[in-house]
Amino acid sequence: MIENKTTATSENNLLVVENLSVTVRNSREKLIRNLHFSIPQGEIFGLVGESGSGKSLTATVILGMLSKSLEVTSGSVKLGQSEITSLSERELRNIRGKEIAYLSQNYQSFFTPFIKVGKQFIEIIRCHTDMSRKEARKVAIHWLNKVHLPAERVFNSFPDELSGGQLQRAAIASAIMFRPKLIIADEPTTALDVLTGERILDLLSELKEELNCSILLISHDLKHIINRTRTVGVMYGGRIVEIGKTSAVLANPIHPYTDLLLQSRLRLNKHIQHELPTMLGEPGLIAEEGCPFSKRCPSVRESCSNKVPMSSLGTHHSAACHLVNAEREERYVTR
Ligand SMILES: Nc1ncnc2c1ncn2[C@@H]1O[C@H](COP(=O)(O)OP(=O)(O)OP(=O)(O)O)[C@@H](O)[C@H]1O
């Protein structure tokens, strides 16, 4: 079983995902394999991995919105005391929006195009509370101010009268106005330019401090994860292949997939002395047995086609790779 020693033992975990597997219904195709991670109250956990690694699917399970064609075949997802995988649709509807807010890269479709933003806010607020229109308007303006928007103007605008960054801020305001315990931010900056994206991530960090909520930050871009998170899980082929304190993973990446991701980062403030490394094989090439990265791994060995358990390198860092043992031996020898 994959373990996140960094947070699994903490008593103040808000979200605990244990041994979660998701399969295509009536087939043996596993899309998520024995996922295990947890997010303490008030912390940002980053989930990083290439397209198709299972990040959004993980978010979908936490939201209780898994497609009917898929099924959870093992494991548990606990938000506080609630076991998400066994809640009814009605209970899930109560949790979504109120306890868990979801923020996607697709902010353009968050608002209906032909209805003014303010009216949409009022409808959402009145749907979840018994406030009058006047009270709901006040709440909407409050939260639009909170995300540093010109509140009155945005309130009276149609969505297509706002920039991408403004729309994403408005979507954030709408997502957080019920003070959720958990925000799932699924590639929240993908459709934005670099600077606007950075400001959106700054805003999320600021709101996290204010609301004391937790954030699951999903990205295929390591630079977003590195700068903002306390812990990180690296996903490949539906598995977390490395997990730990972000600083520990950064300082000493063990799994070759993590290492290659880190090496491939473009750093604008550094002169590149050598060619950026490329990964072998096609993206999305997943080994069915053993380590899912083994078909592309430069350090592959025979044992990688067997089950590769998560092994720990101290309390803040684990990886599912034979190189953990090599690392341990090296440490022992050089001590
Ligand atoms: N309803 C579904 N039925 C069958 N397969 C699915 C379904 N939803 C997702 N998948 C598959 O599950 C895998 C993981 O998809 P997921 O959307 O979680 O990837 P991701 O890591 O979020 O990628 P991206 O960064 O591109 O969003 C993919 O191979 C995808 O094709």
Side-chain angles (χ1 to χ4, degrees), residues 24 29 31 49-58 67 69-70 105 186-187 218 220:
V24 177
E29 192 186 348
L31 299 177
E50 67 185 27
S51 186
S53 55
K55 307 179 298 295
S56 298
L57 214 49
T58 305
S67 142
S69 60
L70 307 178
Q105 56 183 283
D186 190 352
E187 311 265 11
I218 294 175
H220 59 267

Side-chain angles (χ1 to χ4, degrees), residues 13 26 37 42 54 84 93 98 108 146 167 179 216 311:
N13 283 328
N26 302 323
F37 67 93
I84 298 280
R93 266 202 305 272
K98 274 191 174 168
Q108 304 279 10
K146 273 266 178 266
L167 264 185
R179 297 181 170 272
L216 171 58
S311 309

Side-chain angles (χ1 to χ4, degrees), residues 114-334:
F114 47 83
I115 302 175
K116 283 189 175 169
V117 170
K119 192 168 181 210
Q120 299 190 51
F121 264 81
I122 287 179
E123 274 171 21
I124 298 169
I125 293 167
R126 283 175 41 92
C127 182
H128 288 283
T129 67
D130 53 6
M131 281 186 201
S132 67
R133 287 190 173 277
K134 203 171 157 195
E135 287 168 326
R137 185 183 198 286
K138 255 184 155 174
V139 171
I141 294 289
H142 170 83
W143 286 104
L144 286 170
N145 271 319
K146 273 266 178 266
V147 296
H148 312 305
L149 282 171
E152 289 286 345
R153 178 167 107 62
V154 170
F155 187 90
N156 290 308
S157 299
F158 287 100
D160 66 0
E161 293 170 333
L162 303 176
S163 70
Q166 286 174 322
L167 264 185
Q168 184 63 300
R169 278 172 193 266
I172 292 175
S174 159
I176 60 166
M177 63 188 172
F178 296 108
R179 297 181 170 272
K181 294 175 182 162
L182 174 70
I183 300 176
I184 300 179
D186 190 352
E187 311 265 11
T189 62
T190 300
L192 301 170
D193 66 80
V194 175
L195 285 179
T196 312
E198 285 295 320
R199 283 195 213 111
I200 290 291
L201 292 173
D202 288 343
L203 174 66
L204 279 174
S205 302
E206 180 191 320
L207 292 167
K208 180 203 72 110
E209 291 300 320
E210 188 170 334
L211 302 175
N212 192 28
C213 62
S214 308
I215 300 182
L216 171 58
L217 179 60
I218 294 175
S219 182
H220 59 267
D221 193 337
L222 253 179
K223 80 171 176 296
H224 291 148
I225 300 284
I226 284 169
N227 296 334
R228 317 272 168 181
T229 60
R230 190 173 146 80
T231 43
V232 62
V234 180
M235 263 188 111
Y236 187 87
R239 270 193 82 173
I240 287 183
V241 293
E242 185 152 4
I243 194 164
K245 231 178 160 179
T246 310
S247 53
V249 174
L250 251 186
N252 188 22
I254 299 295
H255 198 285
Y257 178 63
T258 314
D259 197 22
L260 283 163
L261 272 186
L262 281 169
Q263 285 185 51
S264 324
R265 273 182 307 153
L266 276 174
R267 274 174 283 186
L268 296 179
N269 58 343
K270 293 227 164 126
H271 182 65
I272 297 169
Q273 311 273 5
H274 50 81
E275 272 186 42
L276 290 171
T278 49
M279 288 194 201
L280 296 170
E282 288 291 309
L285 184 62
I286 299 164
E288 282 306 313
E289 303 294 331
C291 174
F293 190 60
S294 57
K295 289 190 174 172
R296 299 174 71 191
C297 183
S299 307
V300 68
R301 57 157 80 161
E302 220 170 282
S303 61
C304 299
S305 56
N306 302 327
K307 198 170 178 197
V308 187
M310 194 59 111
S311 309
S312 135
L313 257 163
T315 45
H316 297 301
H317 191 180
S318 314
C321 183
H322 65 84
L323 291 175
V324 172
N325 297 328
E327 174 73 13
R328 279 210 206 98
E329 277 159 26
E330 194 175 309
R331 281 184 184 189
Y332 182 74
V333 169
T334 51

